[in-house]
Amino acid sequence: MSATAAITTRHDWSLAEVRALFEQPFNDLLFQAQSVHRQHFDANRVQVSTLLSIKTGACPEDCKYCPQSGHYNTGLDKEKLMEVQKVLEAAAEAKAIGSTRFCMGAAWKHPSVKDMPYVLEMVKGVKKLGLETCMTLGRLDQEQTQALAEAGLDYYNHNLDTSPEFYGNIITTRTYGERLQTLAYVREAGMKICSGGILGMGESVDDRAGLLIQLANLPEHPESVPINMLVKVKGTPLAEEKDVDPFDFIRTLAVARIMMPRSHVRLSAGREAMNEQMQALAFMAGANSIFYGEKLLTTANPQADKDMALFKRLGIKPEEREEHADEVHQAAIEQALVEQRDSKLFYNAASA
Ligand code: SF4
């Protein structure tokens, strides 16, 4: 397939077509992905989000990769829902170090009636700070989705994780259909979708293709597509899984870029294990979003200043919320980074 043939936004991908994308020589695939990327984005801008756990651990779901599941003993410190004020302080700090989006994650099956008012206050408060808001709270019903939209939530994160065929090997307490239903409610309520998956759980290339087909064949592509590399946490059933070949990981990013040309493809969990060369290849493959801060969910994330140093070496600038960034703002971010270097800012964020 030529680079130009791939730039149309499609919703009818077949497994054979996606397999063919994966099977291309690496250089051809990367060239095609980078060509598609440049049709829709500034290739030297990367969107920067910060993720905060607003409620950590003791999750009733049994996702085999997750240290927050109450089904596994990972020694994680459990935390109740954070106070609204503390969340807003963390959001203000995230803004100071250059994040444009603040993602709040709670390890829940679904939000409870008791917790919803606090969650809505968090959305309103973060929004007032001038940040885009994103939440991941588990399954939502229609009423909750509507309330979040009315509070001003911009994005809802709900990952499909893997292909429908492989899904049962990883999670048994929530169905694939329930996940798709939550995504449908989010769309109906007019919010943007953040949805992706995880590589390295023992899935086949067809499962990676199957996940991307599910996402790309939704009526509208998710605006944000996080591609995670499994972080193997002791105590979870996937702690001893084989490493993903780094080139296979990059291939998946490239195929995601080609299939969802207008989406932000996010290099997400697992970035700590990637060297700078691999991250640079990921940006070349069309990844244009990262999580940024000391911790991602409950696992380590490269330090924010290390990220900025890499951006500088690669000539990449953080994407601004409104594309009128200037050198003054860039300098302010760099200054804030220096000040933050030794701070105890704690992003032990959760996912659902
Ligand atoms: S991934 Fe989310 S839903 Fe699954 S166990 Fe972890 S916190 Fe719970």
Side-chain angles (χ1 to χ4, degrees):
M1 192 185 295
S2 74
T4 40
I7 61 172
T8 329
T9 302
R10 292 178 45 192
H11 303 268
D12 59 353
W13 291 92
S14 71
L15 184 57
E17 285 175 303
V18 181
R19 257 190 209 147
L21 288 175
F22 271 99
E23 285 166 4
Q24 288 186 91
F26 189 74
N27 284 343
D28 290 351
L29 176 60
L30 244 67
F31 176 71
Q32 189 183 348
Q34 176 68 197
S35 306
V36 170
H37 188 51
R38 284 169 184 267
Q39 300 280 335
H40 300 285
F41 291 100
D42 179 339
N44 300 308
R45 291 264 183 192
V46 170
Q47 190 271 331
V48 172
S49 298
T50 294
L51 175 57
L52 174 75
S53 176
I54 58 170
K55 185 265 167 186
T56 304
C59 182
E61 304 287 6
D62 69 350
C63 311
K64 287 205 172 85
Y65 51 82
C66 183
Q68 304 209 64
S69 167
H71 294 254
Y72 318 121
N73 188 2
T74 58
L76 184 75
D77 287 336
K78 302 170 187 72
E79 288 167 25
K80 286 198 268 200
L81 183 64
M82 275 175 81
E83 287 167 25
V84 175
Q85 189 52 36
K86 292 228 161 67
V87 172
L88 299 186
E89 284 165 17
E93 293 194 59
K95 189 178 177 190
I97 61 165
S99 281
T100 55
R101 189 178 309 157
F102 194 65
C103 308
M104 294 158 269
W108 285 326
K109 190 176 192 67
H110 51 76
S112 68
V113 173
K114 168 176 78 67
D115 289 323
M116 268 310 274
Y118 299 104
V119 163
L120 297 176
E121 278 314 302
M122 290 173 194
V123 175
K124 288 178 197 161
V126 174
K127 193 101 183 147
K128 264 200 203 135
L129 291 170
L131 286 158
E132 283 185 312
T133 50
C134 177
M135 280 194 157
T136 181
L137 313 170
R139 176 164 54 78
L140 296 179
D141 63 30
Q142 224 166 351
E143 208 179 307
Q144 289 170 328
T145 318
Q146 199 56 48
L148 287 165
E150 280 164 20
L153 188 66
D154 297 298
Y155 286 80
Y156 194 74
N157 164 265
H158 202 54
N159 290 333
L160 292 180
D161 286 349
T162 189
S163 67
E165 294 76 19
F166 191 66
Y167 182 85
N169 297 30
I170 304 297
I171 299 133
T172 65
T173 51
R174 175 187 286 158
T175 68
Y176 211 82
E178 283 173 321
R179 289 187 186 247
L180 290 169
Q181 180 63 72
T182 294
L183 294 182
Y185 288 150
V186 172
R187 269 291 177 237
E188 267 169 43
M191 288 185 284
K192 293 176 186 151
I193 288 178
C194 173
S195 187
I198 305 173
L199 306 195
M201 303 190 292
E203 76 286 345
S204 65
V205 173
D206 274 4
D207 291 316
R208 292 173 192 163
L211 164 71
L212 297 179
I213 288 170
Q214 287 291 322
L215 295 167
N217 288 357
L218 287 169
E220 278 179 75
H221 293 167
E223 283 77 6
S224 179
V225 180
I227 303 291
N228 299 279
M229 170 109 88
L230 176 71
V231 179
K232 291 180 258 186
V233 180
K234 210 166 156 229
T236 60
L238 299 184
E240 304 299 329
E241 273 305 319
K242 260 179 43 204
D243 285 343
V244 182
D245 179 320
F247 297 121
D248 288 345
F249 186 84
I250 300 292
R251 276 180 189 278
T252 310
L253 290 172
V255 174
R257 164 53 60 229
I258 292 163
M259 293 172 71
M260 291 169 277
R262 291 181 173 84
S263 304
H264 277 83
V265 175
R266 178 176 300 145
L267 187 55
S268 211
R271 200 159 60 84
E272 174 77 355
M274 298 173 200
N275 63 25
E276 292 179 333
Q277 292 85 340
M278 185 172 169
Q279 293 187 54
L281 263 186
F283 297 136
M284 173 81 90
N288 62 344
S289 174
I290 61 164
F291 273 124
Y292 175 68
E294 279 191 17
K295 293 244 182 171
L296 174 61
L297 304 180
T298 55
T299 55
N301 191 31
Q303 296 272 331
D305 52 353
K306 249 170 81 182
D307 291 337
M308 278 299 153
L310 178 62
F311 276 15
K312 206 167 186 175
R313 286 167 67 202
L314 298 176
I316 287 174
K317 287 193 170 178
E319 189 177 284
E320 290 302 308
R321 208 181 147 183
E322 284 145 353
E323 281 289 336
H324 51 64
D326 52 28
E327 296 307 317
V328 176
H329 186 66
Q330 181 65 19
I333 289 172
E334 281 166 14
Q335 179 58 32
L337 278 170
V338 172
E339 286 163 11
Q340 285 293 327
R341 192 167 299 141
D342 302 318
S343 84
K344 293 261 187 301
L345 188 61
F346 181 57
Y347 295 129
N348 73 332
S351 163

